[in-house]
Amino acid sequence: MDYALGWNRFNLSILGVWPEPSKRTLLRRITSASIFWTSTTVIFLFICAPQTTDLILNSTTLDEAIENLSINIPIAFALMKQIVLRYHGEALRLLLVEIINDWTQTLSGPERLTMLKNAKISRRISLSCSTLAYTMLIAFISLQTYANMTSASEVDLGGLLHPATFPYDTKKSPYFEITWMGQFIGSILTGISYSCFDTFFAVFVLHLCGQLSVLQLNLKELVETAKHDVTLFQNRLGFIVNRHNKLYRFAIIIENCFNLMVLGQTLISTIMFCLTGYRMITSMGSQEKDMPIVGIIFFFIHVIYALLHLYISCYVGETLLVESTGIAFSAYDCAWYDLPPKKAMCLMIIICRARVAFQITAGKFSPLSLELFGSIMKTAAGYLSVLLAVKEDPVED
């Protein structure tokens, strides 16, 4: 379990939202709550609220509004992700307890290999998303620092990392240092929050897929059990049915905790693809010679970052659909024809039940799948073309 969840536990503990499965002392609960409220306050006061104020008061053109929203929207959404993880802390803790119980049970060699396969995928997803998040943060901070040093006369950001309006003069010391450090810390926290929510979600879904794969192995061995001991067959069949129902409840808890934020993820990813793509195209078209290489890198990473998280959600959703319906195929592919008719009829009930796939939806509207990802990409590309069409100055000028 530490192999799959260790990186998530480290990052979520930084945000104060790690749902510790073991019993915690009062001091640890107070510490976790203090970290959570401190981090959310820093993000809201130094980035979200000032950026929204700047959008309302100072953004007079389409380009200025898009530049603000392309940063403000994902940061605000990352803050919402952090709050949701804290809100569903008890439900997520129960899921972690179930995962621990699954790993501590006595497993056969093939079953453990199946679980390890999904754990490795979970770890790779966590490491990849975290690495990309930190790379994007480095590129963003470098780009803003470069812009403040070389072109402060073009866009007056007050030397800050984010364009923002504060109720005090940020150019005076020590207000400048405090504000800059607050935005720096807030940027790091939002990068962690945005990334860890999706990787944490992927860990739960992939573990569920691993348990469904183990259940398929049990179904294939069921017929061999019946040939030697009819009573054992009944017990194993009852275990499979109860286990399938328990995994279904596991999927329902994941659905209830994550479906609204997954819906937000689909919308935010569409918006971010449009806004960041618009900024990248217009910047390269109008300032091709003056555009710093770090700016181009940041735009590419920003687009990939938004789409990668959406793809991960759709990928694990597609995997869950395949593995849950695979229960029916496993029951059909086993040597049911060697069973007595009454025993074979029991497998028909399992097949009928398994035809109803487990699924994680985007706000109860549509199940996560690769088909949904393709539809979102087509929609986002259409919106991007509309943005370019209504631009005040054509790109080719």
Side-chain angles (χ1 to χ4, degrees):
M1 192 198 74
D2 289 337
Y3 182 81
L5 288 169
W7 193 248
N8 286 277
R9 178 170 55 189
F10 171 77
N11 287 327
L12 293 177
S13 297
I14 296 176
L15 302 174
V17 294
W18 170 250
E20 182 61 46
S22 60
K23 189 175 181 180
R24 296 185 299 176
T25 62
L26 177 61
L27 178 60
R28 295 188 65 180
R29 292 199 298 269
I30 294 176
T31 303
S32 177
S34 300
I35 294 173
F36 167 75
W37 288 111
T38 301
S39 60
T40 53
T41 301
V42 168
I43 295 171
F44 180 77
L45 292 181
F46 285 97
I47 302 181
C48 290
Q51 273 198 320
T52 304
T53 303
D54 186 75
L55 174 66
I56 297 172
L57 298 179
N58 300 327
S59 298
T60 57
T61 65
L62 178 62
D63 288 349
E64 291 176 350
I66 288 178
E67 181 179 357
N68 185 293
L69 291 173
S70 64
I71 301 297
N72 195 11
I73 289 178
I75 290 178
F77 189 59
L79 180 61
M80 292 177 60
K81 286 182 174 182
Q82 187 175 347
I83 295 173
V84 168
L85 286 174
R86 183 75 181 185
Y87 178 78
H88 291 294
E90 182 60 26
L92 298 177
R93 187 188 70 82
L94 295 177
L95 293 181
L96 287 177
V97 171
E98 290 294 329
I99 293 177
I100 293 174
N101 293 335
D102 291 337
W103 280 102
T104 54
Q105 290 179 357
T106 303
L107 301 171
S108 63
E111 292 175 349
R112 182 166 291 275
L113 288 176
T114 300
M115 294 177 62
L116 283 174
K117 177 183 177 182
N118 287 274
K120 289 179 180 178
I121 297 175
S122 300
R123 184 176 177 84
R124 288 170 185 169
I125 289 175
S126 299
L127 289 174
S128 300
C129 291
S130 297
T131 301
L132 189 61
Y134 288 119
T135 303
M136 189 187 68
L137 285 173
I138 293 173
F140 172 75
I141 294 172
S142 302
L143 176 63
Q144 290 298 81
T145 303
Y146 176 86
N148 293 334
M149 293 174 59
T150 61
S151 58
S153 59
E154 298 178 7
V155 181
D156 186 11
L157 300 180
L160 300 177
L161 291 177
H162 300 277
T165 300
F166 291 88
Y168 53 85
D169 189 358
T170 57
K171 296 181 180 180
K172 294 182 179 180
S173 181
Y175 299 116
F176 171 78
E177 290 81 0
I178 295 174
T179 305
W180 192 94
M181 185 57 63
Q183 289 194 338
F184 177 77
I185 296 174
S187 299
I188 295 175
L189 293 174
T190 53
I192 295 174
S193 178
Y194 194 98
S195 176
C196 284
F197 182 94
D198 300 302
T199 57
F200 203 37
F201 166 72
V203 166
F204 285 128
V205 178
L206 289 175
H207 177 80
L208 177 58
C209 293
Q211 294 304 302
L212 289 170
S213 298
V214 170
L215 207 59
Q216 294 177 32
L217 295 176
N218 293 334
L219 269 173
K220 293 177 180 179
E221 298 172 356
L222 187 62
V223 175
E224 294 297 325
T225 302
K227 294 179 180 179
H228 300 89
D229 191 338
V230 177
T231 303
L232 183 59
F233 171 84
Q234 294 287 357
N235 294 335
R236 296 296 299 172
L237 180 64
F239 167 80
I240 290 173
V241 172
N242 291 329
R243 182 60 178 165
H244 190 258
N245 288 330
K246 190 174 183 179
L247 293 178
Y248 178 74
R249 291 193 294 269
F250 190 98
I252 291 297
I253 296 176
I254 298 176
E255 164 75 5
N256 293 335
C257 292
F258 291 97
N259 76 88
L260 289 179
M261 295 309 295
V262 169
L263 174 62
Q265 184 75 51
T266 60
L267 298 176
I268 294 299
S269 298
T270 304
I271 295 172
M272 292 310 302
F273 178 82
C274 298
L275 299 183
T276 307
Y278 175 88
R279 288 186 64 192
M280 181 173 64
I281 293 173
T282 54
S283 297
M284 295 178 65
S286 60
Q287 300 178 354
E288 186 173 358
K289 295 183 179 180
D290 299 328
M291 184 68 176
I293 187 63
V294 69
I296 299 176
I297 294 174
F298 168 72
F299 285 135
F300 274 110
I301 294 177
H302 203 183
V303 173
I304 295 173
Y305 183 72
L307 295 181
L308 176 64
H309 285 78
L310 177 60
Y311 176 79
I312 289 173
S313 299
C314 293
Y315 166 76
V316 298
E318 178 80 16
T319 304
L320 181 60
L321 291 173
V322 173
E323 292 294 341
S324 59
T325 54
I327 298 292
F329 290 102
S330 295
Y332 178 78
D333 291 338
C334 71
W336 54 266
Y337 40 81
D338 292 335
L339 295 173
K342 291 184 178 180
K343 305 299 182 186
M345 289 291 291
C346 296
L347 294 180
M348 291 182 61
I349 298 175
I350 295 177
I351 292 173
C352 292
R353 174 63 182 85
R355 290 180 63 185
V356 181
F358 295 3
Q359 58 185 21
I360 308 298
T361 64
K364 306 291 186 180
F365 287 104
S366 175
L368 292 177
S369 63
L370 295 180
E371 182 181 358
L372 176 63
F373 179 78
S375 300
I376 293 173
M377 290 297 298
K378 292 178 182 177
T379 303
Y383 290 156
L384 176 59
S385 65
V386 172
L387 273 179
L388 293 174
V390 301
K391 185 181 183 298
E392 295 176 356
D393 298 322
V395 174
E396 57 269 15
D397 291 346

